[in-house]
Amino acid sequence: MEEKTFAADATVIQEGEAGSVLYVVESGELDCLKRLTPGSQENTKLRTYEPGWAFGELALLYNAPRAATIIAKTPCTLWQLDRNTFNHIVKDAAQSKRDKYENFLESVPILQTMDHYERSKVADAIKEQTYAAGTTIITQGDGGNDFYLLIEGQAVATKSMQAGSEPQQVKEYNPSDYFGERALLKSEPRAANVIAKTDVKVATIDRDSFMRLLGPLDTILQRNMSEYQNHAGQ
Ligand code: CMP
Ligand code: CMP
């Protein structure tokens, strides 16, 4: 990779141009802008990139013109990866992960408002885990760092309503359901146990990726969370 620096306000990528490199952010912030109506001159801001994030991979993955414009908000240090290196090292792994989770992520109701591109970023962030029947996936009272999507199997949520009381079942989970959002959104300890009822496979997404990728779904997540208040002990 090659280090590149950009001054504030510099255009790093121009929508519509050909592209042969992707960038990883070491320091600084950049805005991603896109013309949402073809032919219009009006740019809509889609997101901000911070250290640790990458952009400019679409032109390399699909041999297509740049799909958005990226402008440095502050002075930036970026690492540039060229098409050949990308093709040899990264492309197959990234693409096969996106293909693997595409159908599953399309089946998840909470992700229904996302476009194809946003779901592919969720696929990039997934780490898969399996739990044997009867295993505790989340323990009430623990700190929480991951969000979960159930890929296979069934799980249940149980909750003890007062300290020391026997946990009661409060929810059942089937494939395409999610859990573990509450501790991340509220910065509170886990509010329930989640236990594998059968052998299960889950997709986990860490806190940072969850906030960045699913943060825009906040209204839906908050609305769904209000259901929990039907159970005592909130
Ligand atoms: P690329 O098309 O090579 O150059 C512009 C980059 O903007 C693109 O790759 C993605 O990395 C990034 N981008 C972020 N959000 C979007 C989006 N919604 N549509 C297209 N590109 C996006
Ligand atoms: P979290 O608190 O992060 O970890 C436990 C998860 O159980 C919680 O997020 C919710 O996703 C889920 N859950 C299911 N039912 C309840 C409930 N009644 N109260 C709180 N959390 C619940």
Side-chain angles (χ1 to χ4, degrees):
M1 292 176 97
E2 203 181 324
E3 192 177 348
K4 295 272 169 189
T5 54
F6 289 89
D9 299 326
T11 301
V12 179
I13 284 181
Q14 178 66 50
E15 184 174 350
E17 288 187 354
S20 58
V21 296
L22 71 75
Y23 297 91
V24 179
V25 184
E26 178 176 315
S27 65
E29 285 189 9
L30 306 97
D31 279 337
C32 173
L33 310 156
K34 187 169 168 66
R35 285 187 213 118
L36 294 183
T37 326
S40 125
Q41 290 307 308
E42 201 184 321
N43 271 325
T44 304
K45 183 175 151 187
L46 296 178
R47 69 194 68 227
T48 300
Y49 289 109
E50 293 171 2
W53 283 73
F55 57 82
E57 79 292 3
L58 286 185
L60 309 190
L61 273 174
Y62 302 113
N63 261 319
R66 295 297 195 186
T69 294
I70 312 281
I71 294 177
K73 268 172 90 171
T74 65
C76 292
T77 303
L78 308 179
W79 288 85
Q80 181 178 295
L81 186 74
D82 66 76
R83 184 189 295 270
N84 273 345
T85 314
F86 175 76
N87 280 341
H88 280 105
I89 300 175
V90 189
K91 185 176 172 179
D92 289 350
Q95 193 59 50
S96 62
K97 200 168 173 198
R98 288 179 177 195
D99 292 345
K100 177 175 176 191
Y101 291 114
E102 188 178 339
N103 289 342
F104 169 67
L105 292 175
E106 275 177 8
S107 79
V108 174
I110 188 77
L111 306 182
Q112 222 81 108
T113 56
M114 285 187 165
D115 65 21
H116 182 74
Y117 180 74
E118 290 167 324
R119 273 200 293 268
S120 70
K121 302 305 280 182
V122 176
D124 292 345
I126 284 177
K127 292 197 180 66
E128 206 173 281
Q129 275 174 20
T130 54
Y131 293 88
T135 322
T136 300
I137 304 169
I138 288 181
T139 303
Q140 185 173 353
D142 278 2
N145 277 312
D146 289 303
F147 170 75
Y148 296 80
L149 293 166
L150 187 56
I151 300 177
E152 279 173 27
Q154 267 96 44
V156 294
T158 69
K159 185 172 166 73
S160 56
M161 302 301 173
Q162 277 118 31
S165 72
E166 191 64 23
Q168 295 170 23
Q169 183 170 321
V170 287
K171 210 166 168 67
E172 260 192 40
Y173 296 110
N174 288 303
S176 302
D177 288 341
Y178 70 87
F179 51 85
E181 80 296 359
R182 191 179 183 282
L184 306 188
L185 289 171
K186 293 196 172 262
S187 294
E188 286 179 9
R190 295 296 195 187
N193 306 296
V194 179
I195 299 161
K197 194 172 160 187
T198 63
D199 290 351
V200 304
K201 189 188 278 180
V202 294
T204 66
I205 296 169
D206 66 42
R207 176 189 291 272
D208 282 356
S209 307
F210 171 76
M211 291 303 182
R212 221 175 275 270
L213 299 167
L214 285 87
L217 306 179
D218 192 51
T219 319
I220 310 174
L221 290 165
Q222 295 284 352
R223 194 180 59 214
N224 291 352
M225 258 194 308
S226 64
E227 260 182 46
Y228 303 148
Q229 279 153 23
N230 297 334
H231 301 287
Q234 284 293 311

